[in-house]
């Protein structure tokens, strides 16, 4: 098996997949803790569907780098969901559901009407479940993913204390002079960027699991925000690495293998917590 | 005893020939997982420059595409792990004798590039079926 792995690691696209996969896993896990604590777990799912719709339009318009259209549209919808939801009469979860299914349906419709590829079902399957997307990245996509990931990690480290304050008590943060609206806006933009990046790794239907599982697993082991965030990042990176390696060795779809490893890790953490854990 | 030695010699011969055959090509897709097979062919088709000149063995579904009344493209098709995406690679046999009614084939050849409508298209030249 090691011999086979050594052979596979000679291919540059496998190394690219591991680098991008680990970086995306790190990004998504950092913000996953905040999303779970703010009861925004499903926003990832909603934005992933928006990203699918945008990707469908980019495919039909023959964009060389589809991220150039997918990223701004997803960011726009993230802002609309998080900021618009506070002002309109439609509740936040209803807005997420509405934009989510609307984008999914619109994306599939556009792909069907103006199919640029002869293998439509394959394209849709690949985007929804990320079967091998991470192993078929172009050099431009790799550099864009690495650049955005580094930017996201830097933003999280830089605004760690503000994110912490906004996550636990918005009223207290506002009373302490923090611009909570600006913080929430920043968080929504960062979420959108991570969703678009993670779509290459696990596909748009599996992104939520990718964001939520490491955070929930870490919460079973630790109780402080810092410890949970660090543990979540470590678990997410380890699961992504093991998932990618397992999928190329066993010949299974990359996205679902990573999520399966995440789910298994959650099961172990849950059992550890229930039967003789740290708390 | 003679039968035992004969069996051992046969086993060693088969094993050695198998290793020799495996070592004869630069990229042996028949020894890779389905995820790696699809990804390798996808990357080969989309950026062929790094693969040109290498010898390759691949196993997949035999398919033909008629381009005109006199020309037909013969290709080997591989699928990804989920089975929804497929990627084909054209091959040109040295002896010109293409299989009739074959489903799964194993083809060995050298990766080359040809210009079609101004675009570099990857294919296997000097190929042979196994």
């Amino acid at each position: 098996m090691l011999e086979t792995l050594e052979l596979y690691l000679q291919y540059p696209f496998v190394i690219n997949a591991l680098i991008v996969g680990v970086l995306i896993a790190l990004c998504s896990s950092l913000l996953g803790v905040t999303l779970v604590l703010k009861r925004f777990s499903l926003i990832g799912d909603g934005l992933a569907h928006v990203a699918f719709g945008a990707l469908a339009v980019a495919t039909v318009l023959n964009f060389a780098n589809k991220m150039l259209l997918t990223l701004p549209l997803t960011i726009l919808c993230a802002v609309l969901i998080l900021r618009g939801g506070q002002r309109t009469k439609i509740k936040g979860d209803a807005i997420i559901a509405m934009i989510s299914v609307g984008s999914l349906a619109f994306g599939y419709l556009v792909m069907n009407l103006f199919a640029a590829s002869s293998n439509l079902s394959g394209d849709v399957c690949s985007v929804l479940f990320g079967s091998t997307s991470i192993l078929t990245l172009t050099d431009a996509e790799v550099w864009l993913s690495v650049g955005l990931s580094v930017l996201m990690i830097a933003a999280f480290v830089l605004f760690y204390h503000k994110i912490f304050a906004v996550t636990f008590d918005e009223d207290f943060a506002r009373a302490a002079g923090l611009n909570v609206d600006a913080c929430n806006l920043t968080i929504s933009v960062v979420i959108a960027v991570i969703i678009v990046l993670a779509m290459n790794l696990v596909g748009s239907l599996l992104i939520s699991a990718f964001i939520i599982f490491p955070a929930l697993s870490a919460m079973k082991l630790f109780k402080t925000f810092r410890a949970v965030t660090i543990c979540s990042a470590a678990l997410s990176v380890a699961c992504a690495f093991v998932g990618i390696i397992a999928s190329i060795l066993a010949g299974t779809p990359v996205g679902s293998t990573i999520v399966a490893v995440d789910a298994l890790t959650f099961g172990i953490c849950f059992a550890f917590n229930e039967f003789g854990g740290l708390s | 005893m003679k039968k035992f030695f004969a069996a051992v010699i046969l086993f060693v011969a088969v094993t050695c020939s198998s290793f020799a055959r495996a070592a004869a090509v630069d990229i042996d897709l028949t020894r890779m997982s389905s995820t790696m097979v699809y990804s390798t062919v996808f990357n080969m088709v989309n950026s062929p420059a790094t693969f040109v000149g290498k010898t390759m063995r691949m196993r997949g579904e035999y398919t033909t595409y008629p381009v005109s009344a006199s020309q037909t493209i013969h290709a080997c098709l591989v699928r990804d792990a989920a089975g929804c995406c497929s990627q084909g690679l054209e091959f040109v046999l040295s002896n010109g004798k293409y299989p009739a009614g074959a489903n799964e084939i194993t083809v060995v050849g050298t990766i080359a590039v040809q210009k079609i409508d101004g675009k570099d298209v990857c294919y296997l030249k000097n190929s042979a079926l196994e």
Side-chain angles (χ1 to χ4, degrees), chain A residues 182-232:
Chain A
C183 281
N184 279 332
L185 182 68
T186 309
I187 290 173
S188 61
V189 170
V190 172
I191 294 165
V193 174
I194 291 170
I195 294 295
V196 173
L197 288 175
M199 208 160 75
N200 281 324
L201 186 60
V202 290
S204 63
L205 285 184
L206 301 174
I207 286 177
S208 279
F210 201 55
I211 291 172
I212 297 162
F213 271 124
L216 290 177
S217 302
M219 283 173 191
K220 290 288 171 197
L221 300 178
F222 296 98
K223 298 299 169 199
T224 66
F225 184 72
R226 186 189 292 265
V228 167
T229 304
I230 293 170
C231 179
S232 169

Side-chain angles (χ1 to χ4, degrees), chain B residues 14-36:
Chain B
V14 168
T15 310
C16 287
S17 71
S18 165
F19 275 118
R21 193 183 64 179
V25 292
D26 299 316
I27 302 167
D28 193 346
L29 295 183
T30 61
R31 298 176 74 183
M32 290 182 176
S33 69
S34 57
T35 302
M36 276 301 289

Side-chain angles (χ1 to χ4, degrees), chain B residues 74 92-99 127:
Chain B
H74 303 267
V92 179
L93 292 179
S94 303
N95 61 11
K97 291 177 184 172
Y98 291 94
S127 306

Side-chain angles (χ1 to χ4, degrees), chain B residues 53-100:
Chain B
K54 291 183 177 173
T55 52
M56 184 174 82
R57 176 183 290 112
M58 71 185 294
R59 184 184 298 132
E61 188 185 323
Y62 173 60
T63 183
T64 55
Y65 300 97
V67 181
S68 64
S70 59
Q71 194 190 358
T72 300
I73 288 176
H74 303 267
C76 186
L77 210 67
V78 292
R79 294 184 192 282
D80 71 338
C84 54
C85 300
S86 58
Q87 190 75 57
L89 195 67
E90 183 189 355
F91 62 91
V92 179
L93 292 179
S94 303
N95 61 11
K97 291 177 184 172
Y98 291 94

